[in-house]
Amino acid sequence: MKKTLSELCAAVGCSKYPQRWESIYQSSMDDFDKNGCLYCKEEFYDEMKAKYDCFGEFFELYKECAKNTAKDEDLARFLKLLCDALGDDENRHSDLKEFSRPKCPEGKDLLTYDMCTGLALCSLLDKGAANIRKRGFDQKTVSETLYLAVGAVKSFMRTHEGRKGFDLLNWCMLYINGELFLIDRLEIQFNATFGARAMVFENKEGTLIALAHQLMLHRDGFALGSAGFTDEEGSYEANVEETEDYYVGQPIDEYGYVLREKILLDKKQWTLKMKKGDKAVSIHIPPSSKNGPLTPEAVDTTLEHTRQVLKKAFDDVDHKGFFCHSWLMDPKLCDLLGEDSNISKFNMRYTKIPCVSKGTAVFNFIFNQTNPDEVDIKALPENTKLERALKKHYLDGNVIYEMYGVFF
């Protein structure tokens, strides 16, 4: 007797799945009985490699896991179901919100289970390539963007002490949907929504000023709820007021603190360029790239290519500007590393805006800690200048905050 959907998911350690899958389960299993699962066949990965060269050093890993999945009927059936569900453009996003990746049952092969969602991603490579080409990108950008099949494995290894696996399926959908691209050195997300609680203005000379808007502040001027700024006594909300001739609000200083004294921005001199909810280009920094270090020249090349893409391929979206939401936006990094470092030069491109931040992102992205909220700072490595500077910074009782940065 065949397993029900709930029985199959329990058998492969999937504790959470969409109710919608009940409606596709029978047809998916009937197709499996007739044709098996394409994504368990090694020749499928040969074909994807020939098309996109997207597996790098993990090509044999994908093939091995496909072969091993084929030997585990429950997991093979689950992979078939997952791939069928992901193929539904209309429901893919909501499905992934209600889905948890399989957890290896006792006695099964850990690697095969940890790579299950990676195999599922491969079912969407053709769709992703079509979406990338639709925006006018060449084969080089298609291949480099779909190199996420490598990047996601490396990300898993980085936070699992070198053990191979894959758990970035949700994030990878941005690539597949044609929203996020690897352009030279940076990941560029078009049609992103600006989330900072501020209004950003520019004058005729190109000077930028950010005024805090709808932002709850600690009495010392930083975002309330951030590490070290949780005491609500004296807290208040900063807002921008608009008159016929002026914008009135509290400016944000170079370190991301909101000043108490309000200023007037004359509408004849200052133009509102971006506010919360506007469409903008979001910049993400992969921890490593096929295209070298994060030099100013590499960033300039990416930005120039991005502007070209905006004109040709995204003229249907009114992008208001560029922004980055990252620990790399904390201005204190320039003090720690010196203004000549690549990180500092990248940081200084942006006008900073605070947001609620735990200040723990560096533990994940730099020190590869799987639980950044429970870190033994004294035990952190000191192998690089950045690691040494950050470790000392935290040992001294300080924090590197995630912030927003903006430029136009």
Side-chain angles (χ1 to χ4, degrees):
M1 183 176 177
K2 292 180 183 177
K3 288 183 171 68
T4 64
L5 172 60
S6 61
E7 289 170 341
L8 178 65
C9 289
V12 299
C14 175
S15 59
K16 182 182 175 185
Y17 59 87
Q19 188 63 36
R20 186 187 77 86
W21 286 9
E22 290 283 4
S23 65
I24 65 171
Y25 181 67
Q26 189 58 53
S27 61
S28 183
M29 293 302 97
D30 289 346
D31 190 47
F32 180 91
D33 289 335
K34 183 178 179 180
N35 301 305
C37 177
L38 173 63
Y39 314 108
C40 292
K41 299 177 180 179
E42 295 180 71
E43 55 266 29
F44 170 77
Y45 299 90
D46 291 326
E47 180 185 350
M48 292 299 103
K49 182 178 186 296
K51 280 185 177 182
Y52 308 121
D53 190 26
C54 58
F55 297 110
E57 66 265 41
F58 300 124
F59 177 55
E60 294 301 330
L61 170 69
Y62 276 88
K63 291 182 68 173
E64 176 190 355
C65 290
K67 181 174 66 176
N68 290 341
T69 299
K71 299 175 183 177
D72 183 334
E73 183 177 346
D74 286 337
L75 189 59
R77 286 182 179 274
F78 180 82
L79 176 60
K80 164 66 175 168
L81 174 65
L82 177 57
C83 292
D84 287 348
L86 292 176
D88 185 332
D89 293 347
E90 183 177 344
N91 291 294
R92 184 188 308 129
H93 179 70
S94 58
D95 278 5
L96 285 175
K97 283 186 175 181
E98 301 176 45
F99 165 76
S100 62
R101 68 185 183 90
K103 300 295 184 182
C104 184
E106 188 175 351
K108 299 286 187 177
D109 181 63
L110 179 62
L111 174 62
T112 303
Y113 275 76
D114 280 345
M115 282 296 296
C116 178
T117 52
L119 302 188
L121 172 73
C122 294
S123 71
L124 296 172
L125 291 177
D126 281 338
K127 189 182 292 285
N131 285 332
I132 296 166
R133 292 195 187 100
K134 191 186 301 181
R135 289 296 187 175
F137 287 103
D138 59 14
Q139 183 61 31
K140 177 177 180 289
T141 302
V142 170
S143 294
E144 289 188 350
T145 298
L146 295 183
Y147 208 67
L148 60 93
V150 170
V153 176
K154 287 186 175 179
S155 177
F156 188 97
M157 293 173 65
R158 184 170 56 81
T159 55
H160 290 79
E161 300 180 340
R163 179 162 63 85
K164 295 182 178 67
F166 188 108
D167 64 356
L168 289 179
L169 192 58
N170 290 57
W171 176 253
C172 289
M173 291 306 104
L174 291 171
Y175 296 92
I176 298 300
N177 295 337
E179 300 173 47
L180 182 66
F181 306 85
L182 181 63
I183 300 180
D184 301 306
R185 180 56 181 87
L186 300 171
E187 292 173 322
I188 303 296
Q189 183 181 356
F190 296 94
N191 203 21
T193 301
F194 183 55
R197 294 181 178 274
M199 292 185 175
V200 188
F201 300 85
E202 184 178 41
N203 67 10
K204 296 176 182 179
E205 288 73 42
T207 301
L208 302 188
I209 288 181
L211 302 182
H213 185 59
Q214 299 177 340
L215 177 64
M216 288 300 300
L217 292 172
H218 184 270
R219 60 182 176 274
D220 289 338
F222 205 72
L224 183 66
S226 299
F229 298 96
T230 56
D231 178 9
E232 296 184 5
E233 183 180 351
S235 63
Y236 65 99
E237 184 176 55
N239 283 289
V240 176
E241 300 172 11
E242 182 178 357
T243 71
E244 184 176 346
D245 299 314
Y246 297 98
Y247 293 102
V248 185
Q250 294 172 245
I252 301 167
D253 73 11
E254 60 181 337
Y255 282 93
Y257 283 78
V258 180
L259 303 180
R260 279 274 186 179
E261 187 173 348
K262 294 182 178 181
I263 62 172
L264 302 178
L265 298 182
D266 190 331
K267 290 183 176 180
K268 295 177 182 178
Q269 300 294 324
W270 293 89
T271 301
L272 174 60
K273 297 287 288 186
M274 194 153 71
K275 64 184 184 303
K276 186 176 184 294
D278 283 344
K279 292 300 180 183
V281 178
S282 179
I283 296 175
H284 304 272
I285 307 93
S288 61
S289 171
K290 294 172 68 176
N291 296 313
L294 189 70
T295 63
E297 295 76 17
V299 175
D300 287 341
T301 298
T302 291
L303 294 177
E304 179 56 34
H305 288 174
T306 300
R307 292 184 182 103
Q308 294 172 12
V309 171
L310 282 170
K311 292 177 182 177
K312 294 179 181 179
F314 285 91
D315 57 354
D316 58 326
V317 180
D318 183 16
H319 290 90
K320 298 296 186 181
F322 292 82
F323 75 93
C324 181
H325 179 215
S326 170
W327 63 274
L328 284 163
M329 292 297 97
D330 192 324
K332 293 191 293 293
L333 290 166
C334 300
D335 298 332
L336 292 177
L337 303 174
E339 293 187 356
D340 289 335
S341 75
N342 286 334
I343 286 177
S344 297
K345 290 175 181 177
F346 182 76
N347 178 292
M348 289 186 289
R349 293 173 183 264
Y350 297 83
T351 295
K352 312 304 189 301
I353 301 170
C355 59
V356 178
S357 168
K358 292 183 181 180
T360 57
V362 296
F363 298 136
N364 177 272
F365 289 104
I366 299 302
F367 295 105
N368 304 326
Q369 300 293 305
T370 55
N371 189 351
D373 293 323
E374 298 180 6
V375 173
D376 180 0
I377 297 174
K378 291 182 179 180
L380 293 175
E382 301 180 39
N383 298 320
T384 67
K385 178 182 178 181
L386 178 59
E387 288 178 351
R388 291 189 292 273
L390 290 174
K391 181 175 179 178
K392 183 178 186 305
H393 188 69
Y394 276 82
L395 285 173
D396 289 343
N398 302 310
V399 172
I400 294 294
Y401 293 102
E402 301 83 56
M403 295 187 185
Y404 280 91
V406 177
F407 66 89
F408 295 108

